[in-house]
Amino acid sequence: MSDEIPVKEIGALLDEVSTKVPKLITSLMSTLYSPEAGSSMGKAVGNLYKELLDSGIPKEDAQQMAKDYMRTLTSIANILKND
């Protein structure tokens, strides 16, 4: 067994990662901030709110839970945006 570090292979791997990761992040960002994403997010929050009400959660609690859900989705999008 060799104790040599495969420098060429590691370099090639890092080169590949450095080209693919930015493209992945750009693709994710365009998906998160597209009109379709906004529509989907609105539907998701609205459906959550409706389901909470339908399951007997008081209106005020359901509103707060829907707001928290929206904040969570926004926080995730912001984390991805800043990376």
Side-chain angles (χ1 to χ4, degrees), residues 29 32-33 41 72-82:
M29 292 307 300
L32 288 171
Y33 289 101
M41 191 180 294
T72 299
L73 294 176
T74 303
S75 293
I76 292 169
N78 287 333
I79 288 169
L80 291 173
K81 182 172 126 180
N82 292 328

Side-chain angles (χ1 to χ4, degrees), residues 5-78:
I5 297 173
V7 176
K8 285 185 181 181
E9 289 84 358
I10 292 172
L13 176 64
L14 291 175
D15 284 343
E16 188 71 19
V17 168
S18 70
T19 60
K20 291 191 176 189
V21 169
K23 290 177 185 176
L24 175 63
I25 291 171
T26 300
S27 177
L28 282 170
M29 292 307 300
S30 65
T31 300
L32 288 171
Y33 289 101
S34 70
E36 295 83 11
S39 177
S40 294
M41 191 180 294
K43 288 177 184 175
V45 173
N47 285 334
L48 172 68
Y49 179 71
K50 182 182 179 313
E51 289 297 321
L52 291 170
L53 291 177
D54 290 348
S55 66
I57 302 291
K59 183 177 179 178
E60 295 78 23
D61 293 339
Q63 286 175 337
Q64 187 59 50
M65 293 168 89
K67 286 178 187 178
D68 291 343
Y69 178 62
M70 183 67 186
R71 283 189 195 109
T72 299
L73 294 176
T74 303
S75 293
I76 292 169
N78 287 333

